[in-house]
Amino acid sequence: MLFDILGIAWEQSQALDAAKDAYKQGKSIPDIARAFAAETDNSVDDKIAEEIEDLLFNVAEWAKTTGVATVALSVKLQHNIPIVVKFLRDSADKLEASQPKAEAIGDQVAVTSANIASLAEELLNRK
């Protein structure tokens, strides 16, 4: 049993050294995990290396898809911003141009209201 434990410790030490060497050589994370797994007799280590590689691939694909979508959205926004700005400027110009007319209508409504009030008062006084 003691020899088994020492054997596992030696194997793990060798695996860690292989992983450190792969890291120092600038290897990718999956390659570092593979270097570790190659020094052990444990099939779980091999599976972990594969899962790390799959996970990193999926993350890279997601990042690529997100990047493409972000660029497409940016292009659409960049294309539509001048249209939105023109619409807002035109709307502001129309509102500004219609202000005197709106004030004139408001004045007419005030005069008409005063005339109606005056007529109503006159009709009430006749009775």
Side-chain angles (χ1 to χ4, degrees):
M1 173 105 164
L2 179 61
F3 289 113
D4 289 338
I5 293 171
L6 289 174
I8 292 170
W10 174 255
E11 182 180 85
Q12 293 295 313
S13 174
Q14 294 296 99
L16 284 173
D17 287 342
K20 286 178 191 176
D21 290 342
Y23 175 78
K24 288 176 185 174
Q25 293 171 9
K27 302 276 182 159
S28 68
I29 293 173
D31 288 339
I32 294 169
R34 272 193 223 98
F36 181 90
E39 297 297 321
T40 66
D41 292 329
N42 187 346
S43 64
V44 173
D45 294 335
D46 297 330
K47 183 77 173 153
I48 289 172
E50 291 172 14
E51 288 179 5
I52 288 172
E53 187 170 18
D54 290 345
L55 177 64
L56 290 175
F57 179 77
N58 290 337
V59 168
E61 282 297 313
W62 174 83
K64 178 183 169 187
T65 302
T66 303
V68 168
T70 302
V71 168
L73 180 61
S74 297
V75 168
K76 285 183 180 187
L77 283 173
Q78 188 177 19
H79 174 71
N80 289 317
I81 285 175
I83 295 168
V84 171
V85 168
K86 182 180 180 329
F87 170 77
L88 292 173
R89 283 185 181 150
D90 291 348
S91 297
D93 291 344
K94 287 178 184 176
L95 283 172
E96 191 176 324
S98 67
Q99 183 179 353
K101 188 174 184 179
E103 288 175 357
I105 291 171
D107 291 344
Q108 287 176 350
V109 168
V111 169
T112 303
S113 296
N115 288 340
I116 291 171
S118 176
L119 285 172
E121 188 178 329
E122 210 178 290
L123 287 172
L124 287 173
N125 287 337
R126 286 189 185 173
K127 288 187 174 185

